[in-house]
Amino acid sequence: MSRPRLMIPGPIEFTDEVMAEMSKPTPSHVDPAFIEIFGQALEDLRSAFLAGPDYQPFILAGSGTLAMDCAVTNLVEPGDRALVVDTGYFSQRMADIVRRYGGDVTLLSAAPGETITPEQLRAALAENAYDLVTITHVDTSTGVLTDVRGLTAAAKEHDALVIVDGVCAAAAEEMRQAEWGVDVYLTASQKAIGTPPGLGLLVASPRALAKWRGRSAPVGSYYSDWGYWLPIMQAYEARKPSYFGTPAVNLVMALAVSLRQILDEGMENVFVRHVLLSNAVKAGVEALGMSQVPTDMAHAAHTLTCPRYPEGVDASFLKMVRANGAILAGGLHPAIKGEYFRIGHMGAASRADVLTALGAVEAGLRAAGYPVEPGVALAAAQAVLS
Ligand SMILES: *Cc1c(COP(=O)(O)O)cnc(C)c1O
């Protein structure tokens, strides 16, 4: 089979077991067998986020943006003050959503490729009071990883609620929701969690639920209102039938399979595998003489790599990479869009995938007229992997 591997930062390659589940006949959303699967998926989502038993998972039909919208509409009341830790395109989307629901947004912005440290956040929180801090765990537009643990600790010192966009990080980057005290951690099915696009996933802390219960203004979105979804999620977990809006039945079944595969591997192993694969890709990219968007590898994501094009190469080279076996993504951050490309290596990604991608990049560079010795990137990656 000569299909090129899909190695963009989502959607990703899904396992055969997940894809087989997608093709099963669609059961009723109140079929006892489906209720069991949905209930188990909710429990497994809580486990994958290392959240406590009193944390509430939500599985909704929609993309990652819906998960962001859902967190914000339930937790922000008009006039609430939000500090948005801004590490790129998706942080700015979060800021737009907060504004849409009446929040008063202050951006704490990093230059593209830079991160925001807990010390910088502490300084901003000392200047003004905020109800909410939002953080993008991995900003997919820059490949920048934030220190969610440290940033959350700083926000807690100032009693602010913390929403983390983990769409390009969940089930890949280390994250311990209960231990770190993240109030809402959210993701989408098509990234590292390993299920085709179409589900927004959130886990809310008891503190987040208390803030939502104490609202005086109604929730701004009808569809996303936890008032409708909380009883549904509780019913599925109690293995009881219920209905508000029809769940994406086949996707939930596929998610249940993927979550089981992730938990069978074990979260600690999942975190370590992503670091290893990422180190291999980054070593290969470096061996090819390319620099990367993150200014320091200490704050580079382990779910994707963002190499800068070498001299004389541009986005047209991605077609040649594809012809050599891997589909990669172009740049996304508006300020540097034409300067870099993105290699996704999350979810079920394997050593073979990483070597395929690097081999395709080498071949693509040669086809684009940039001289590279065959095997240089592969050798560097193999040295990391072995
Ligand atoms: C992909 C992504 C989103 C948006 O998810 P969609 O499913 O495309 O709506 C949000 N935040 C981050 C960090 C992402 O990587």
Side-chain angles (χ1 to χ4, degrees):
M1 186 184 62
S2 62
R3 179 173 70 81
R5 298 294 280 174
L6 181 59
M7 298 199 60
I8 64 173
I12 62 167
E13 292 281 343
F14 306 115
T15 66
D16 293 345
E17 294 77 11
V18 165
M19 294 315 293
E21 196 70 12
M22 288 295 293
S23 70
K24 287 188 176 168
T26 303
S28 159
H29 59 289
V30 290
D31 185 305
F34 176 70
I35 292 173
E36 173 57 35
I37 289 169
F38 201 143
Q40 189 62 49
L42 288 162
E43 290 171 17
D44 287 350
L45 181 60
R46 190 188 281 114
S47 300
F49 284 11
L50 301 173
D54 47 354
Y55 281 57
Q56 180 61 50
F58 295 88
I59 298 175
L60 303 174
S63 79
T65 305
L66 186 271
M68 296 165 78
D69 191 276
C70 181
V72 172
T73 192
N74 283 285
L75 294 180
V76 171
E77 292 192 74
D80 279 2
R81 301 215 288 183
L83 186 64
V84 171
V85 174
D86 170 21
T87 48
Y89 180 91
F90 287 107
S91 308
Q92 288 164 21
R93 174 172 296 185
M94 185 69 93
D96 285 342
I97 297 171
V98 174
R99 286 189 202 100
R100 181 64 65 95
Y101 290 113
D104 178 3
V105 170
T106 301
L107 288 172
L108 179 58
S109 298
E114 300 282 357
T115 192
I116 296 288
T117 63
E119 292 65 40
Q120 288 171 299
L121 177 60
R122 263 190 201 96
L125 292 168
E127 258 171 52
N128 288 297
Y130 294 95
D131 302 291
L132 174 71
V133 169
T134 74
I135 303 165
T136 311
H137 198 168
V138 168
D139 202 297
T140 323
S141 72
T142 54
V144 164
L145 172 72
T146 53
D147 173 5
V148 167
R149 175 190 219 148
L151 293 169
T152 300
K156 300 260 137 174
E157 287 162 20
H158 293 266
D159 217 29
L161 217 61
V162 177
I163 296 177
V164 177
D165 170 357
V167 178
C168 198
E173 299 286 357
E174 181 185 6
M175 200 287 291
R176 305 172 193 279
Q177 188 172 6
E179 190 186 320
W180 296 1
V182 173
D183 291 303
V184 174
Y185 195 85
L186 63 92
T187 190
S189 52
Q190 78 276 18
K191 306 228 177 161
I193 213 127
T195 306
L199 294 177
L201 311 170
L202 304 86
V203 177
S205 73
R207 211 161 143 251
L209 292 169
K211 158 85 178 165
W212 164 71
R213 285 203 181 87
R215 291 177 66 99
S216 38
V219 171
S221 159
Y222 180 85
Y223 179 79
S224 291
D225 191 337
W226 285 348
Y228 298 119
W229 290 114
L230 182 61
I232 304 301
M233 300 302 141
Q234 289 172 333
Y236 274 112
E237 231 181 310
R239 310 303 197 260
K240 289 185 186 135
S242 62
Y243 169 74
F244 170 59
T246 307
V249 176
N250 292 73
L251 283 169
V252 172
M253 289 159 58
L255 174 70
V257 169
S258 190
L259 283 169
R260 192 58 7 236
Q261 291 181 325
I262 289 165
L263 293 174
D264 283 348
E265 182 179 357
M267 297 318 297
E268 305 305 325
N269 295 332
V270 166
F271 300 152
V272 168
R273 176 170 54 82
H274 281 85
V275 170
L276 180 70
L277 295 181
S278 173
N279 287 346
V281 174
K282 286 167 176 65
V285 161
E286 208 171 292
L288 291 168
M290 290 186 279
S291 62
Q292 296 173 43
V293 174
T295 52
D296 187 332
M297 287 307 109
H299 64 250
H302 303 103
T303 48
L304 79 160
T305 298
C306 297
R308 288 183 172 275
Y309 294 120
E311 196 66 36
V313 175
D314 63 22
S316 64
F317 122 100
L318 295 175
K319 281 204 262 333
M320 300 169 219
V321 176
R322 183 191 176 119
N324 282 284
I327 300 172
L328 306 182
L332 178 62
H333 194 293
I336 53 170
K337 200 171 165 36
E339 300 172 15
Y340 71 107
F341 63 103
R342 298 175 296 154
I343 309 169
H345 36 78
M346 66 185 103
S350 66
R351 290 162 188 246
D353 292 322
V354 155
L355 295 173
T356 298
L358 286 173
V361 168
E362 281 190 2
L365 285 174
R366 278 196 302 280
Y370 180 79
V372 295
E373 208 184 305
V376 177
L378 293 168
Q382 289 283 32
V384 171
L385 293 173
S386 55

